[in-house]
Amino acid sequence: MGSGSQGQAAANNGRGDADADTGGAPTHAAHFVFVPLMAQGHLIPAVDTALLLATHGAACTVVGTPATAARVRPTVESARRSGLRVRLAEFPLDYAAVGLPDGADNVDNVPLEATRRYFDAVALLRAPIERYLRARAPYPTCVVSDFCQPWATELAASLGVPRLSFFSMCAFCLLCQHNVERYDAYEGVAGDDEPVVVPGLEERRVVVTRAQAPGFFRESDEWKDFADYVERARAEADGVVMNNFAEMEPEYVAGYAAARKMKVWTVGPVSLYHQQQRAATLAARGNAAAAIDADECLRWLDGKEPSSVVYVSFGSIAQASGKQAVELGLGLEASGQPFVWVLRNAHEYDDTARAFLDELEARVAGRGTGMLIRGWAPQVLILSHAAVGGFVTHCGWNSTLEAITAGLPVVTWPHFSDQFLNEKMAVEVLGIGVSVGVTERVMFQTVEKEIVVGRDVVEKAVRSLMGGGEEAEERRRRARELADKARAAMQEGGSSHNNLMDLVGRFKATTAT
Ligand code: UDP
């Protein structure tokens, strides 16, 4: 460790919310320690799951870096005020120790070339987290770690408690990826675009390519040791917690549990925490700083016909290039459908793309047919408004499940990671999606090709999603049916509700703490 990092390491003992929050009277209650990946698509569902477990009587600690904690603090504070035993524990990274720029503590603010060093820095939090947990009652009874945090294996072992792998992913995706790896399905294929049938799926023929679904952290050989470490951690877990619901994909939940030989607790859709609890935090979910006033957004939507608006967002990491954004905008406008379009990186575009967006915004604002949100949008709030009728999504699992929960069909436009398999889930398994036909990965804007999907394709896909006709009606019917099942799963007696209760009961303390 370099001398410059000493001060930080000394300070790195963690800063948490008041101890009494998960303490108080001696109790046998379960105490789950969540170790999320510091990225919104992983953090948001982890926090929602912690809050759900807390509503069933558990104590929960969510660990995170300072920027991560700041994003979810309003949500956690609000839950604490309502009496839930949940706390945030904040740990700064030792930037100097691994050569990271100061403040690069969230996946979306880490320079691409420093990503590996970032994962190394996060792994160094193991000892400070352990010290923090040992110093405060109640003692943990279970670690729930994101599958991208393999070092949590050692944290749990050292604390002497079980560890569950947390996935905000569907079982279909996990089983496909698992089987492709377990049976070496890509072995000997001519190229990355060579179609391969996923082995071991009896009920369905699913075709993938290595270009689309290389495996977690298996995009390049540089990450091989980390990918193997992640796989070992997944194989050695004491169980799996998934943000999905059993009725959506019973065969794949059972298939994944059998393949891993471990119990799977399906506990979603966890976004329903906010709606069920009528939490005031729905608008600020996942980011304290939304780019638009929620009321303004709702007022705009209130003026639209039911199911007429298409919502467009690529989540918290994926980005469209400036040229791609222009094509997307023109396609949306040509579809004639009112839209809410979220652009997370518009400020980085060149003058041409920025001027286009300003002109488009002026045109659609004048007609009242479009709204551009440059930054963080209150996504679940928007999706649950009656005026919204469809979602153009990058197929991040949270977004896909949030669409399902709102009963919305989707246009699928995957970029990377699990998104291509989630697209197959939406289009082929659930029958609620229209694909724009992307065949290659676009990673953090590093792809050479700037326009992946042309304006005509966007227009056609949106018209098909939002229009009439038997197929469109059928997609809507299926989406509504899934939404009903999702809500039922989370209600008393429902499968996810029961699994949450089971977790709280099964991992309670053996002695009072
Ligand atoms: N999200 C949001 N507002 C935004 C962008 C994203 O609330 O402007 C939320 C979205 O509701 C979802 C999460 O961030 O819960 C994104 O997760 P997902 O798995 O869809 O995609 P990722 O960002 O991980 O690629």
Side-chain angles (χ1 to χ4, degrees):
M1 187 183 293
S3 59
S5 61
Q6 302 263 332
Q8 189 161 38
N12 198 353
N13 281 320
R15 205 165 61 79
D17 301 327
D19 294 348
D21 300 329
T22 55
T27 170
H28 284 87
H31 175 197
F32 296 96
V33 176
F34 278 79
V35 184
L37 179 70
M38 318 300 163
Q40 272 129 323
H42 296 241
L43 171 72
I44 294 171
V47 169
D48 286 350
T49 304
L51 298 178
L52 283 163
L53 288 166
T55 60
H56 293 293
C60 290
T61 299
V62 181
V63 304
T65 55
T68 309
R71 284 176 173 170
V72 292
R73 191 170 294 286
T75 302
V76 172
E77 288 292 333
S78 162
R80 277 152 41 98
R81 280 196 299 275
S82 74
L84 298 189
R85 298 202 311 154
V86 53
R87 71 180 167 203
L88 274 171
E90 226 180 87
F91 301 87
L93 295 183
D94 195 342
Y95 303 108
V98 295
L100 266 184
D102 269 6
D105 70 353
N106 241 295
V107 169
D108 54 276
N109 67 13
V110 174
L112 195 55
E113 66 283 1
T115 314
R116 186 57 198 269
R117 294 201 294 283
Y118 169 74
F119 276 88
D120 293 343
V122 173
L124 293 176
L125 295 182
R126 191 196 67 72
I129 292 173
E130 185 178 340
R131 277 198 299 277
Y132 173 95
L133 292 169
R134 284 188 181 282
R136 288 160 181 83
Y139 195 80
T141 62
C142 181
V143 169
V144 184
S145 59
D146 192 283
F147 78 101
C148 299
Q149 307 286 32
W151 52 270
T153 311
E154 287 107 70
L155 173 68
S158 185
L159 289 166
V161 299
R163 178 185 54 93
L164 306 177
S165 282
F166 180 77
F167 295 92
S168 195
M169 291 190 175
C170 60
F172 167 78
C173 163
L174 288 170
L175 183 61
C176 287
Q177 203 69 72
H178 177 77
N179 284 359
V180 162
E181 289 187 32
R182 174 169 141 203
Y183 296 108
D184 280 333
Y186 295 139
E187 196 60 39
V189 295
D192 281 1
D193 293 325
E194 179 95 359
V196 164
V197 176
V198 176
L201 296 186
E202 274 144 35
E203 53 290 289
R204 184 176 293 275
R205 186 173 184 275
V206 177
V207 176
V208 290
T209 67
R210 179 151 49 191
Q212 296 175 335
F216 301 115
F217 300 101
R218 298 213 185 271
E219 284 90 358
S220 83
D221 284 346
E222 278 167 59
W223 285 78
K224 186 177 179 315
D225 57 334
F226 190 75
D228 291 345
Y229 185 21
V230 166
E231 170 51 25
R232 274 197 309 282
R234 284 189 298 178
E236 289 164 11
D238 296 299
V240 171
V241 177
M242 259 187 223
N243 179 19
N244 61 348
F245 56 101
E247 292 75 8
M248 178 177 63
E249 44 166 358
E251 66 278 42
Y252 301 113
V253 174
Y256 190 68
R260 285 286 183 196
K261 298 188 182 60
M262 59 182 71
K263 184 157 172 60
V264 173
W265 285 270
T266 54
V267 298
V270 299
S271 64
L272 280 176
Y273 162 81
H274 298 268
Q275 282 153 321
Q276 284 185 331
Q277 302 301 313
R278 294 189 175 73
T281 45
L282 183 56
R285 180 171 174 259
N287 197 334
I292 186 162
D293 176 53
D295 290 337
E296 184 192 333
C297 203
L298 291 178
R299 267 196 306 277
W300 190 87
L301 288 168
D302 284 345
K304 302 287 168 286
E305 293 294 314
S307 304
S308 65
V309 176
V310 59
Y311 174 75
V312 185
S313 171
F314 292 157
S316 67
I317 298 174
Q319 309 185 354
S321 71
K323 288 200 172 99
Q324 177 65 77
V326 172
E327 290 295 308
L328 172 47
L330 289 170
L332 277 177
E333 193 179 22
S335 76
Q337 213 67 45
F339 61 84
V340 175
W341 180 14
V342 186
L343 293 119
R344 64 175 291 267
N345 61 320
H347 59 283
E348 292 166 10
Y349 290 158
D350 63 17
D351 291 348
T352 315
R354 278 152 74 141
F356 166 80
L357 290 175
D358 289 344
E359 285 159 23
L360 175 73
E361 191 168 31
R363 280 199 303 277
V364 294
R367 298 195 294 259
T369 54
M371 172 184 273
L372 273 63
I373 301 178
R374 294 172 171 84
W376 192 258
Q379 178 162 307
V380 173
L381 190 76
I382 294 174
L383 292 179
S384 42
H385 194 285
V388 178
F391 183 0
V392 178
T393 173
H394 71 307
C395 300
W397 179 247
N398 297 290
S399 293
T400 310
L401 187 57
E402 287 159 15
I404 290 168
T405 310
L408 297 174
V410 288
V411 164
T412 59
W413 186 327
H415 285 61
F416 54 83
S417 187
D418 57 331
Q419 296 159 15
F420 285 91
L421 284 165
N422 295 341
E423 171 180 65
K424 287 183 192 297
M425 176 72 174
V427 177
E428 297 173 27
V429 180
L430 302 177
I432 59 161
V434 180
S435 168
V436 291
V438 181
T439 55
E440 58 188 330
R441 266 192 337 270
V442 187
M443 190 75 175
F444 301 87
Q445 247 188 343
T446 53
V447 77
E448 301 288 307
K449 201 167 152 186
E450 284 182 303
I451 298 172
V452 182
V453 180
R455 65 188 79 168
D456 298 347
V457 178
V458 175
E459 178 188 344
K460 190 161 165 253
V462 172
R463 281 184 186 276
S464 156
L465 183 79
M466 305 296 285
E470 213 172 296
E471 278 182 29
E473 289 300 342
E474 187 55 21
R475 277 193 295 269
R476 281 194 272 272
R477 192 194 59 73
R478 288 200 200 97
R480 279 196 299 269
E481 196 175 284
L482 281 166
D484 289 344
K485 288 184 181 169
R487 253 184 290 279
M490 293 298 279
Q491 271 157 16
E492 190 145 2
S495 58
S496 295
H497 184 270
N498 287 347
N499 283 339
L500 286 160
M501 305 263 287
D502 186 50
L503 282 165
V504 171
R506 202 179 279 240
F507 293 99
K508 63 179 186 240
T510 46
T511 53
T513 52

